[in-house]
Amino acid sequence: MATTLVNTTNEVESPTEKQSPALTDGFRLVVDALKLNGIDTIYGVPGIPITDLSRLAQAEGLRFIGFRHEQSAAYAAAISGYLTKKPGICLTVSAPGFLNGLVGTANATTNCFPMIQISGSSDREIIDLQQGDYEELDQMNAAKPYTKASYRVNKPEDIGIGIARAIRAAASGRPGGVYLDLTGDVLAAALDADAGAKSLVQVVDASPAQIPASESIKRALDLLASAQRPLIILGKGAAYAQADNEIRTFVEKTGIPFLPMSMAKGLLPDNHPQSAAAARSLVLSQADVVMLIGARLNWLLAHGKAPRWSPTVRFVQVDIVSTEMDSNRPIAAPVVGDIGSAMIAFLEALKPGQIQASAAWTKAIEERKRYNVERMSARLNANPNPMNFSSALRAIRDVLAGRPDIYVVNEGANTLDFGRDIIDMYEPRKRLDCGTWGVMGIGMGFAIGAAVTTGKPVVAIEGDSAFGFSGMELETICRYSLPIVTIIFNNGGVYRGDDVNRSGGSDPAPTVLMKARYDKLIEAYGGTGYHVTDPQALTKALTESLASGKPALINCVIDPTAGTESGHIGNLNPKSQIGDARK
Ligand code: ADP
Ligand code: TZD
């Protein structure tokens, strides 16, 4: 796309005369608007009509991270938004590229991560009359059901306001994925440079504090004070809020045991004495008052219902969205506001000694923790040959224990479930995983997003099936020389690798994959590959690759019979009412 910046008149001007107006265009206005709002990175895949936009962004000092598939680019943008509270930006081409990215944007909406997918789109007149344009799709309307907001810019002078609206929609209130459609015409259109500069909008306070009502704070504290067996559940909304000190002070001042949801692990360290993670079933079923901080009562918490929960449990819920209250169970003490403001208000209103966890409750939890840890330790310390999930994760856990700065990405079924339980986290927002949808394919995108955003090393612990969804991004990792170590738990299948074709035919069973040498893949891109079959070799490979700070992949061979169907959520598979559906 040629973009010329020329004077529009041929008149000769004297030096004292006003210069004829310089022009700008849509491409430049987009880059200027992003820069004005402090955005420094774009994740995307170039092509018609946004190739020049990616080039110009790079020329103007933005970092452009080019992916092999838009879905991973969107995951990277989303996790960057989660880590920074500033919307991550994903740039896609029209129709198929847009749809590829939309999965990641929808996942951001579901997980409450702020991101903006900006996509070029084809000729509006042709799209609207369905006359068959190149990559024709009514993208703005397609995006609506999956995003927090979906906008289209039709005039270059609206680019500034369009980007401002997108930023505010993504970051304010409950964060989410936002779609911004930029037509090819708008990108190419020229505008007087002064008018263009004036049209830009710098968003003031994109995510304003939302102070909860003081009555709601008092009601919640009174309820907690009346509890015999109180519990605090920390969700990824609490991690996102970056109110780490206030949350920790409240937990410690009240002495209430806490349970972190998977991405809230590390908000308080996993070895904190008040952590009830190792007594999860006990505390969920016996707590009489539960304070939810940035966690929804969705499937991940069994909807707050019996038998996992006490039928008489009462809830305090701290959330920025009022309609989250009473979603599954009645909420006795709703606290609607942002978690940072709410925790400050709680600490101000809390009277010394007002809330104390009873000694009997704390003792019961301690005893159950000890019992469960002992029971687990036998499995964890065993050395089966071939390795299983536990013995491999033990080796990884021990290396990572000395490196709390490292980001851990984790996906798979068993790899996820065992990984969550075995790998302790010591710092907030360091664990990034499949989240609310339990989606496979976030691995490489999250790893790249975390490494690019923070400059810190990342270890991605991946099921072999999970890895396959975004495996080509190894090339992206190597191209940008990112400090990412990918560990593949290779049991040769989805869940496990030993299923059989029930027809007796020669095709592999639906869940079976090749026990491939994934370490060779990264070697094709100049990274370092390791092939390990025992915990000692895994320890050595991980230690070595972290020390190198370079891209590496560890093909970690585990027992094909290790693992259970769907990991810990096998109960969600529909069971036929007329017998075994597999035959
Ligand atoms: P988890 O999966 O860890 O249980 P969820 O994603 O279900 O967590 O819940 C996160 C909740 O946090 C959402 O309901 C969201 O509205 C809320 N949330 C996100 N950011 C904030 C914030 N800054 N203040 C208050 N609530 C927030
Ligand atoms: N597709 C998408 C996008 N998300 C999904 N969650 C699935 C398919 C279904 N699925 C799971 O829920 S887990 C999983 C799939 C395909 C892979 C499990 O195998 P794995 O992990 O090798 O990644 P384990 O550790 O061997 O169980």
Side-chain angles (χ1 to χ4, degrees):
M1 175 70 54
T3 54
T4 46
L5 283 183
V6 291
N7 286 348
T8 50
T9 72
N10 293 322
E11 289 166 28
V12 179
E13 295 168 4
S14 81
T16 52
E17 270 176 338
K18 196 172 171 293
Q19 296 283 312
S20 52
L23 293 181
T24 187
D25 60 21
F27 292 106
R28 284 170 173 75
L29 288 169
V30 173
V31 172
D32 292 347
L34 293 175
K35 283 176 72 175
L36 183 66
N37 284 288
I39 283 161
D40 53 17
T41 307
I42 296 177
Y43 304 90
V45 178
I48 298 172
I50 48 95
T51 314
D52 275 350
L53 183 57
S54 57
R55 290 196 182 110
L56 183 71
Q58 190 174 54
E60 292 291 321
L62 286 162
R63 191 149 192 221
F64 184 86
I65 305 291
F67 281 72
R68 305 304 296 263
H69 192 285
E70 292 86 353
Q71 194 178 102
S72 291
Y75 288 141
I79 213 63
S80 170
Y82 171 70
L83 292 173
T84 61
K85 299 181 91 175
K86 274 191 344 201
I89 306 291
C90 170
L91 184 62
T92 58
V93 303
S94 357
F98 155 80
L99 286 171
N100 284 345
L102 191 59
V103 174
T105 307
N107 187 60
T109 308
T110 301
N111 283 280
C112 317
F113 300 156
M115 72 162 280
I116 303 169
Q117 181 180 349
I118 299 179
S119 189
S121 60
S122 303
D123 203 327
R124 278 248 53 81
E125 291 86 356
I126 302 179
I127 293 174
D128 289 350
L129 277 172
Q130 298 182 21
Q131 292 174 309
D133 204 359
Y134 166 73
E135 298 194 342
E136 172 185 302
L137 186 75
D138 182 5
Q139 294 166 197
M140 179 186 73
N141 285 307
K144 276 183 184 163
Y146 308 108
T147 51
K148 203 177 153 195
S150 179
Y151 305 114
R152 179 162 53 230
V153 178
N154 291 295
K155 295 189 293 189
E157 55 269 40
D158 286 342
I159 286 173
I161 204 78
I163 287 180
R165 273 178 86 58
I167 290 172
R168 195 174 285 286
S172 64
R174 172 184 278 173
V178 170
Y179 176 61
L180 184 67
D181 193 279
L182 300 177
T183 66
D185 284 347
V186 159
L187 289 171
L191 189 68
D192 171 272
D194 277 348
K198 286 195 190 111
S199 73
L200 300 182
V201 178
Q202 188 169 16
V203 177
V204 177
D205 196 6
S207 176
Q210 299 195 16
I211 317 277
S214 53
E215 315 83 272
S216 71
I217 297 289
K218 182 173 180 313
R219 189 188 297 119
L221 289 177
D222 288 347
L223 182 57
L224 284 168
S226 74
Q228 300 295 310
R229 295 177 303 283
L231 175 69
I232 290 174
I233 295 186
L234 301 169
K236 58 176 145 14
Y240 174 78
Q242 298 194 14
D244 309 339
N245 290 336
E246 290 80 3
I247 290 172
R248 184 170 184 152
T249 307
F250 183 80
V251 170
E252 290 181 346
K253 274 197 170 168
T254 59
I256 300 176
F258 71 91
L259 202 57
M261 300 300 286
S262 69
M263 282 180 61
K265 274 165 68 77
L267 185 44
L268 279 85
D270 275 334
N271 60 356
H272 192 286
Q274 283 170 254
S275 170
R280 186 183 166 90
S281 307
L282 175 95
V283 291
L284 286 187
S285 61
Q286 298 204 357
D288 61 350
V289 175
V290 173
M291 181 185 202
L292 299 159
I293 307 181
R296 287 169 286 187
L297 278 181
N298 57 17
W299 69 280
L300 287 160
L301 283 172
H303 304 281
K305 293 184 179 156
R308 294 294 298 282
W309 295 72
S310 155
T312 55
V313 60
R314 288 185 301 161
F315 290 97
V316 174
Q317 184 161 22
V318 187
D319 205 289
I320 204 152
V321 174
S322 58
T323 50
E324 193 53 47
M325 309 298 152
D326 311 321
S327 63
N328 285 274
R329 289 284 304 263
I331 302 298
V335 177
V336 177
D338 75 276
I339 287 165
S341 303
M343 297 321 295
I344 290 170
F346 276 123
L347 288 173
E348 279 170 7
L350 182 69
K351 298 184 201 90
Q354 182 185 5
I355 299 172
Q356 276 168 339
S358 78
W361 178 227
T362 327
K363 186 159 168 276
I365 296 171
E366 270 317 307
E367 278 170 7
R368 181 62 70 90
K369 272 167 70 173
R370 208 172 313 122
Y371 172 77
N372 283 346
V373 168
E374 269 167 27
R375 228 181 34 166
M376 198 170 136
S377 77
R379 198 176 57 198
L380 202 53
N381 294 322
N383 273 315
N385 185 10
M387 281 188 283
N388 61 15
F389 290 97
S390 297
S391 60
L393 282 160
R394 182 191 70 218
I396 299 171
R397 177 199 67 182
D398 291 347
V399 175
L400 295 186
R403 293 294 306 271
D405 58 316
I406 287 176
Y407 283 84
V408 174
V409 170
N410 191 195
E411 64 173 334
N414 295 279
T415 307
L416 178 85
D417 292 332
F418 282 100
R420 184 181 53 235
D421 291 347
I422 293 173
I423 307 285
D424 285 336
M425 304 306 298
Y426 303 96
E427 292 182 4
R429 295 171 293 282
K430 286 281 157 86
R431 184 186 156 83
L432 313 169
D433 67 25
C434 306
T436 305
W437 260 349
V439 66
M440 298 300 116
I442 46 90
M444 300 298 97
F446 276 13
I448 294 168
V452 166
T453 303
T454 68
K456 292 264 164 44
V458 180
V459 170
I461 307 171
E462 304 271 311
D464 52 347
S465 163
F467 168 74
F469 286 75
S470 63
M472 194 64 187
E473 303 301 344
L474 279 181
E475 192 271 339
T476 310
I477 291 172
C478 291
R479 186 163 21 103
Y480 291 94
S481 199
L482 297 170
I484 297 172
V485 182
T486 303
I487 305 175
I488 298 181
F489 275 34
N490 191 346
N491 61 355
V494 174
Y495 314 135
R496 43 197 283 157
D498 62 343
D499 205 0
V500 292
N501 180 339
R502 284 163 173 77
S503 78
S506 59
D507 280 353
T511 57
V512 164
L513 299 170
M514 293 176 77
K515 293 173 186 67
R517 287 289 300 265
Y518 295 103
D519 48 311
K520 304 274 184 202
L521 274 182
I522 198 164
E523 286 172 3
Y525 307 123
T528 307
Y530 298 87
H531 177 73
V532 303
T533 56
D534 61 58
Q536 293 73 24
L538 175 54
T539 303
K540 185 164 176 290
L542 182 55
T543 310
E544 214 173 277
S545 51
L546 284 173
S548 85
K550 300 237 170 65
L553 185 146
I554 305 174
N555 183 44
C556 176
V557 179
I558 59 168
D559 187 348
T561 68
T564 53
E565 179 97 350
S566 305
H568 292 182
I569 53 172
N571 60 313
L572 298 183
N573 286 301
K575 290 271 175 305
S576 165
Q577 296 183 352
I578 59 162
D580 190 344
R582 288 172 293 183
K583 307 192 214 81

